[in-house]
């Protein structure tokens, strides 16, 4: 890894291959509307896949924080903690809550189609499943990718700046993390549109459509199988300037107690790296551009006081946390008087925890220089997001480069938010001089 | 003033390192430890407190000088 040299070489690869491909599924006005029964009482019948939650979840969480942990009979029975303390207690309690399933589905698969270590791993194996990945994602390693990230951002801006308007989600935010993770994995950037499609199939419509979910996972798995097979023949389609080893090679060489990782483990982790790093950071970048477009005071302040960037990035991550995870109750347990039964699911809303006024004064206000900010946008405990440093770097660079070239802009049109458990703008029209 | 990182609580968020790189260093897996014996140079006390106030795991401890 120490040989990775993303900043070197004048080759026209990752950052130049910027023809913005239209995603065949989510590129046209977002995913198809999903018909769902209307929620009548959020305390007993909540639904995070409906339009009210999608468009404005904050008042829902505020209301729910006042009462016991909310319950729904949807998803075969599930709970929804919205207080910071409850989310924290569950994240730390790996004895009573397993990560075997981390997404709420309309009905559970008998066996999850593909485990995604370390996300779906529990102690004691979790530690080694994560350890193989961690060296790739330290601030130091991620820092080496910063020049590449800046080139990608600028190449994207070059593509639309003359139009005086763009869709900041579709033409900008969406393309940044996918190109960087492709580079780190060791697969061609030109395949980015495939990854975006699979993610949409797996994480958005796949939550309510089993066949689409399975097909998306299968396609991704076949894709990585192909790239593993190439490496076994001594070939690769990785960027010649890319890291050595890349993440595919590292997983192929990974082992637990001297036993090489099984194929399912390798493929599951590679799928996870692809899925987890793309629409999450895309969402954070889009939500931040949206916020700064609607709050010109914050925007000007950030331009005039760039030293605020470190706290500002954390604050934007707190206020617009994209990621909600889930846990499965491993054995009957009571939490704050709520009887949670084995096999039921818990939606672990980090975004709701991050808006808890008991922990964050003025929780609904974005305070760019907020001092105390123990936000949990990347989770808590052993499942802390492995890519958090990468996401943070990508978000910072994406905002910095955008503000350098488009310091003055406004949101100009209807914003459309994602469906599913990753929240961010999917359509974000902006206009600028 | 001294800073200390509880190795059992640290999960490698690296927020302390990003806010106060002079005071915290990271190992190859991203877990933090205090630089040297954790002594906070004069003028860095505020940064030390900021780092502690941003650790989601409450792993960063501040030890104030006696007196």
């Amino acid at each position: 890894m120490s040989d990775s040299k993303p900043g070197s070489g004048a080759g026209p690869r990752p950052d130049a291959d910027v023809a913005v491909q239209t995603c065949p599924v989510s590129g046209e006005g977002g995913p198809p509307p999903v018909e769902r029964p209307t929620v009548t009482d959020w305390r007993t019948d909540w639904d995070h896949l409906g339009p009210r939650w999608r468009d404005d979840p904050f008042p829902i969480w505020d209301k729910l924080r006042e009462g016991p942990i909310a319950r729904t009979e949807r998803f075969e029975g599930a709970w929804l903690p919205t207080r910071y303390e409850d989310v924290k207690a569950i994240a730390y309690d790996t004895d009573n809550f397993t990560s075997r399933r981390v997404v709420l589905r309309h009905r559970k698969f008998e066996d999850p189609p593909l485990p995604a270590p370390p996300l779906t791993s529990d102690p004691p194996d979790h530690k080694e499943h994560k350890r193989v990945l961690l060296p790739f994602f330290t601030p130091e390693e991620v820092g080496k990718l910063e020049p590449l990230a800046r080139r990608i951002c600028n190449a994207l801006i070059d593509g639309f700046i003359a139009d005086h308007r763009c869709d900041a989600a579709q033409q900008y935010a969406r393309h940044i993390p996918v190109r960087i993770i492709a580079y780190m994995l060791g697969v061609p950037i030109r395949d980015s549109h495939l990854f975006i499609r699979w993610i949409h199939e797996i994480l958005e419509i796949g939550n309510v459509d089993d066949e689409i979910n399975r097909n998306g996972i299968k396609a991704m798995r076949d894709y990585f199988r192909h790239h593993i097979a190439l490496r076994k023949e001594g070939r690769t389609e990785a960027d010649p300037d890319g890291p050595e080893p890349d993440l595919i090679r590292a997983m192929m060489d990974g082992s637990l107690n001297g036993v090489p990782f099984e194929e399912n483990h390798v493929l599951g982790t590679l799928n996870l790296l692809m899925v987890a790093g793309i629409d999450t950071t895309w969402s954070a970048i889009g939500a931040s551009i949206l916020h700064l477009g609607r709050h010109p005071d914050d925007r000007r302040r950030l331009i005039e006081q760039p030293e605020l960037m470190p706290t500002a990035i954390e604050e934007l991550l707190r206020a617009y946390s994209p990621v909600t995870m889930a846990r499965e109750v491993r054995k009957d347990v009571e939490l704050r008087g709520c009887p949670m039964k084995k096999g039921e699911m818990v939606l672990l809303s980090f975004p709701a925890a991050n808006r808890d006024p008991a922990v964050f004064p003025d929780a609904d206000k974005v305070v760019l220089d907020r001092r105390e900010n123990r936000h949990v946008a990347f989770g808590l405990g052993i499942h802390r997001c492995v890519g958090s440093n990468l996401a943070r770097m990508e978000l910072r660079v994406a905002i910095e480069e955008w503000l350098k070239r488009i310091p003055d802009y406004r949101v100009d049109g209807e914003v459309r938010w994602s469906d599913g458990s990753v929240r961010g703008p999917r359509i974000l029209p902006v206009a600028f001089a | 003033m001294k800073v200390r990182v509880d190795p059992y609580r640290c999960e490698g968020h690296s927020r302390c390192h990003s806010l106060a790189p002079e005071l915290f260093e990271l190992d190859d897996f991203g877990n933090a430890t205090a630089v040297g014996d954790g002594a906070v140079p004069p003028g860095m006390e505020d940064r030390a407190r900021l780092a502690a106030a941003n650790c989601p795991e409450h792993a960063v401890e501040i030890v104030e000088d006696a007196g």
Side-chain angles (χ1 to χ4, degrees), chain A residues 313-388:
Chain A
I313 290 298
E314 301 304 330
E315 177 66 348
L316 291 163
L317 283 164
R318 179 193 71 82
Y320 302 104
S321 309
V323 180
T324 296
M325 279 287 142
R327 298 286 188 269
E328 182 180 347
V329 182
R330 194 203 295 271
K331 46 195 178 198
D332 292 2
V333 59
E334 195 173 287
L335 186 70
R336 276 211 312 118
C338 299
M340 301 182 173
K341 298 278 177 230
K342 180 183 174 181
E344 291 179 340
M345 295 296 291
V346 179
L347 190 66
L348 210 51
S349 178
F350 299 117
N354 282 340
R355 294 279 190 136
D356 185 346
V359 177
F360 303 98
D362 287 322
D364 285 332
K365 201 168 159 227
V366 170
V367 182
L368 295 182
D369 56 355
R370 187 180 287 274
R371 254 193 90 77
E372 178 157 5
N373 190 353
R374 302 179 200 267
H375 75 74
V376 291
F378 296 113
L380 267 180
I382 64 167
H383 288 287
R384 187 268 305 172
C385 168
V386 75
S388 61

Side-chain angles (χ1 to χ4, degrees), chain A residues 84 88 92 131 134-135 138-139 310-311 314 370-376 378-382 384 388-389 392, chain B residues 11-15 17-19 26-31 46-47 49-50 52-59:
Chain A
Y84 188 98
K88 180 176 169 177
Y92 280 149
R131 207 174 155 83
L134 285 169
T138 61
T311 52
E314 301 304 330
R370 187 180 287 274
R371 254 193 90 77
E372 178 157 5
N373 190 353
R374 302 179 200 267
H375 75 74
V376 291
F378 296 113
L380 267 180
I382 64 167
R384 187 268 305 172
S388 61
N389 296 308
R392 191 174 276 130
Chain B
E11 291 290 352
H13 293 258
S14 70
R15 305 251 327 255
H17 173 78
S18 83
L19 290 165
L26 305 174
D27 67 15
D28 290 347
F29 300 94
N31 291 316
D46 190 59
R47 295 275 291 286
R49 290 196 187 93
L50 184 66
N54 281 271
C55 178
E57 314 285 350
H58 290 262

Side-chain angles (χ1 to χ4, degrees), chain B:
Chain B
M1 181 191 275
K2 278 192 173 185
V3 288
R4 193 180 162 273
V5 180
D6 182 339
Y8 297 99
R9 289 188 171 206
C10 178
E11 291 290 352
H13 293 258
S14 70
R15 305 251 327 255
C16 56
H17 173 78
S18 83
L19 290 165
E22 303 86 348
L23 302 177
F24 301 92
E25 55 195 4
L26 305 174
D27 67 15
D28 290 347
F29 300 94
N31 291 316
T33 48
V35 170
D37 67 352
V40 177
M44 294 282 306
E45 294 86 353
D46 190 59
R47 295 275 291 286
R49 290 196 187 93
L50 184 66
N54 281 271
C55 178
E57 314 285 350
H58 290 262
V60 176
E61 296 163 22
I62 302 276
V63 185
E64 302 278 356
D65 292 330

Side-chain angles (χ1 to χ4, degrees), chain A residues 242-320:
Chain A
E244 184 59 48
D246 51 37
L247 283 163
I248 293 179
R249 170 55 70 184
M251 285 307 300
M252 289 169 68
D253 295 344
S255 61
L256 178 60
N257 302 327
V259 181
F261 290 152
E262 290 172 9
E263 189 195 37
N264 241 12
H265 179 140
V266 172
L267 293 172
T269 297
L270 294 173
N271 278 17
L272 170 67
L273 290 168
M274 182 61 79
V275 166
I278 295 181
D279 64 337
T280 51
T281 311
W282 159 19
S283 296
I285 295 170
S288 300
I289 290 175
L290 173 60
H291 175 86
L292 296 173
R294 284 186 175 158
H295 298 82
D297 290 352
D298 279 347
R299 190 172 72 237
R300 278 191 286 271
R301 198 170 167 217
L302 208 46
I303 291 168
E304 284 160 17
Q305 298 172 257
E307 68 276 14
L308 288 180
M309 198 51 102
T311 52
I313 290 298
E314 301 304 330
E315 177 66 348
L316 291 163
L317 283 164
R318 179 193 71 82
Y320 302 104

Side-chain angles (χ1 to χ4, degrees), chain A residues 145 148-150 152 175-185 189 390 393-394:
Chain A
L145 300 168
L148 171 67
R150 289 195 195 279
I152 290 171
H175 301 282
I176 300 164
V178 69
R179 293 181 188 190
I180 295 174
I181 199 69
Y183 182 87
M184 294 177 75
L185 283 162
I189 293 270
L390 176 64
M393 182 278 282
E394 290 171 350

Side-chain angles (χ1 to χ4, degrees), chain A residues 36-47 52 72 74:
Chain A
R36 306 186 65 80
T38 308
V39 173
T40 48
D41 186 343
W42 286 90
R43 292 168 302 179
T44 55
D45 182 38
W46 58 266
D47 180 9
R52 264 188 68 195
T72 190
R74 301 171 192 236

Side-chain angles (χ1 to χ4, degrees), chain A residues 52-302:
Chain A
R52 264 188 68 195
W53 179 298
R54 180 191 62 212
D55 294 337
D56 190 15
F58 308 109
I60 299 170
W61 301 335
D62 288 344
K63 194 80 199 146
L64 292 181
R65 265 186 226 104
E66 295 166 8
I69 296 172
R71 167 82 188 170
T72 190
E73 301 310 320
R74 301 171 192 236
F75 315 104
E76 302 180 320
W79 301 88
L80 171 62
T82 43
R83 297 183 189 193
Y84 188 98
E85 285 307 314
D86 294 339
V87 168
K88 180 176 169 177
I90 293 167
Y92 280 149
D93 187 355
T94 54
D95 285 337
N96 287 309
F97 300 94
T98 166
S99 286
R100 194 166 74 110
R101 305 175 202 270
V102 289
V103 176
L104 252 62
R105 310 195 70 261
H106 65 132
R107 60 186 172 83
K108 296 187 191 80
F109 285 124
E110 192 67 25
D111 285 306
L114 186 62
L119 183 69
T120 57
S121 310
D122 289 319
D125 293 346
H126 169 270
K127 198 177 169 120
E128 288 304 313
H129 291 176
K130 191 168 186 175
R131 207 174 155 83
V132 63
L133 301 176
L134 285 169
F136 285 83
F137 293 96
T138 61
E140 192 185 347
E141 283 303 313
V142 161
K144 296 177 186 168
L145 300 168
E146 193 171 318
L148 171 67
R150 289 195 195 279
R151 292 202 304 271
I152 290 171
C153 291
N154 278 293
L156 289 165
I157 296 172
D158 288 343
F160 56 70
I161 195 159
D163 301 336
H164 301 289
R165 61 178 302 115
C166 76
D167 183 327
Q170 293 287 325
Q171 291 174 270
Y172 187 63
R174 175 172 115 168
H175 301 282
I176 300 164
V178 69
R179 293 181 188 190
I180 295 174
I181 199 69
Y183 182 87
M184 294 177 75
L185 283 162
V187 296
I189 293 270
R190 64 170 181 272
D191 292 343
S192 294
H193 65 288
L194 294 173
F195 313 147
I196 290 173
R197 186 175 75 206
W198 294 331
I199 285 162
H200 178 65
E201 289 173 357
I202 295 167
L203 287 184
E204 291 206 67
I205 39 183
N207 289 335
V208 289
D209 189 316
D210 296 350
E211 198 185 335
I212 289 178
N213 183 293
R214 285 185 193 280
N215 288 344
I217 288 174
K218 184 178 181 302
M220 208 183 245
R221 189 189 173 109
D222 289 345
Y223 180 85
F224 282 120
R225 249 198 205 117
H226 166 71
H227 283 279
I228 288 170
L230 283 181
R231 279 166 178 73
K232 287 182 178 162
E233 297 166 10
R235 295 190 292 142
T236 166
E237 292 179 27
D239 188 300
D241 291 333
E244 184 59 48
D246 51 37
L247 283 163
I248 293 179
R249 170 55 70 184
M251 285 307 300
M252 289 169 68
D253 295 344
S255 61
L256 178 60
N257 302 327
V259 181
F261 290 152
E262 290 172 9
E263 189 195 37
N264 241 12
H265 179 140
V266 172
L267 293 172
T269 297
L270 294 173
N271 278 17
L272 170 67
L273 290 168
M274 182 61 79
V275 166
I278 295 181
D279 64 337
T280 51
T281 311
W282 159 19
S283 296
I285 295 170
S288 300
I289 290 175
L290 173 60
H291 175 86
L292 296 173
R294 284 186 175 158
H295 298 82
D297 290 352
D298 279 347
R299 190 172 72 237
R300 278 191 286 271
R301 198 170 167 217
L302 208 46

